[in-house]
């Protein structure tokens, strides 16, 4: 089990005020707030794997636009796991029993290398749309191995965060919990 900290570079209180936040995009016609934002290490550990060089895809939101993406899916699956995970980092937690994979970084933005010790909150790379991804986002998973081709997922709890529920209009404070589907989370300082 990974008992980590909440990970977010997003300020949910500002979602209704897009003019206050610069728009970033994979292409100029489809803006995505997260694209290019810094992704911070959710925990400390040693970097055991990095992969860079996968291109960021044009973001797709409509069914017709997904057709070209779907046609290219087979070629990604026939290549190595890195083509599916995209540009990514794997961090081995203290003790080596839990490994964190963070994937879909923007091409060319990795700031860490294999063997490097990273601290919680350290800038790893920027949010992108590489690998098996239809729009910019971060994929994070706790696993029992640093080898993505054989790793099994582990439960992941977040330490202390504020959670805005999709469509609920309010938030809840959570401690050692799992965020709900489609919720937006903000890390809070441990007391």
């Amino acid at each position: 089990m990974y008992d980590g900290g909440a990970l977010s570079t997003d300020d949910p209180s500002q979602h209704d005020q897009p003019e206050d936040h610069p728009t970033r995009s994979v292409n100029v016609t489809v803006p995505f707030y997260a694209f290019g934002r810094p992704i911070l290490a959710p925990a400390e550990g040693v970097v055991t794997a990095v992969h860079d060089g996968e291109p960021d895809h044009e973001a797709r939101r409509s069914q017709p636009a997904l057709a070209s993406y779907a046609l290219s899916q087979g070629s990604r699956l026939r290549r190595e796991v890195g083509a599916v995970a995209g540009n990514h980092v794997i961090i081995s937690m203290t003790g080596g029993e839990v490994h964190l994979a963070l994937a879909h970084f923007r091409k060319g933005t990795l700031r860490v290398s294999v063997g490097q010790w990273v601290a919680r909150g350290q800038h790893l790379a920027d949010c992108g749309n590489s690998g098996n991804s239809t729009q910019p986002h971060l994929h994070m998973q706790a696993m029992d191995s640093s080898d993505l081709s054989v790793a099994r997922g582990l439960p992941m709890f977040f330490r202390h965060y504020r959670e805005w529920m999709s469509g609920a209009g309010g938030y809840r404070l959570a401690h050692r919990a799992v965020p709900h589907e489609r919720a937006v989370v903000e890390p809070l300082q441990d007391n």
Side-chain angles (χ1 to χ4, degrees):
M1 176 178 71
Y2 167 62
D3 181 14
L7 175 71
S8 175
T9 59
D10 203 350
D11 180 357
S13 67
Q14 301 297 318
H15 282 195
D16 293 329
Q17 301 168 10
E19 67 278 1
D20 292 342
H21 297 284
T23 298
R24 308 207 177 171
S25 64
V26 174
N27 72 24
V28 294
T29 62
V30 184
F32 290 89
Y33 178 82
F35 187 78
R37 295 271 181 197
I39 300 298
L40 311 179
E44 63 183 32
V46 176
V47 175
T48 57
V50 297
H51 181 83
D52 196 3
E54 299 294 328
D56 290 287
H57 306 291
E58 179 178 340
R60 294 163 172 88
R61 285 189 169 170
S62 69
Q63 292 299 324
L66 288 172
S68 65
Y69 174 80
L71 291 173
S72 66
Q73 183 68 356
S75 66
R76 271 190 298 286
L77 293 173
R78 284 188 293 277
R79 292 176 41 217
E80 64 184 270
V81 174
V84 175
N87 306 315
H88 65 273
V89 169
I90 298 177
I91 300 170
S92 179
M93 309 291 293
T94 303
E97 294 178 14
V98 177
H99 308 270
L100 291 177
L102 295 101
H104 306 304
F105 295 139
R106 186 176 186 185
K107 181 180 178 181
T109 66
L110 288 177
R111 295 171 172 243
V112 296
S113 57
V114 172
Q116 180 179 346
W117 177 264
V118 295
R120 188 170 99 182
Q122 182 174 336
H123 187 174
L124 300 174
D126 295 345
C127 184
N129 193 33
S130 61
N132 188 28
S133 173
T134 57
Q135 55 187 278
H137 72 286
L138 172 68
H139 176 103
M140 182 172 79
Q141 68 184 41
M143 327 177 282
D144 65 355
S145 170
S146 62
D147 182 347
L148 288 171
S149 64
V150 298
R152 291 177 298 178
L154 299 173
M156 186 174 3
F157 294 90
F158 291 80
R159 262 192 214 113
H160 190 59
Y161 60 94
R162 181 176 297 144
E163 176 179 22
W164 278 264
M165 305 300 292
S166 179
Y171 68 88
R172 74 177 181 118
L173 298 178
H175 183 73
R176 260 184 72 65
V178 177
H180 290 88
E181 288 284 327
R182 298 192 174 132
V184 175
V185 297
E186 171 189 16
L188 298 174
Q189 296 297 317
D190 292 327
N191 293 331

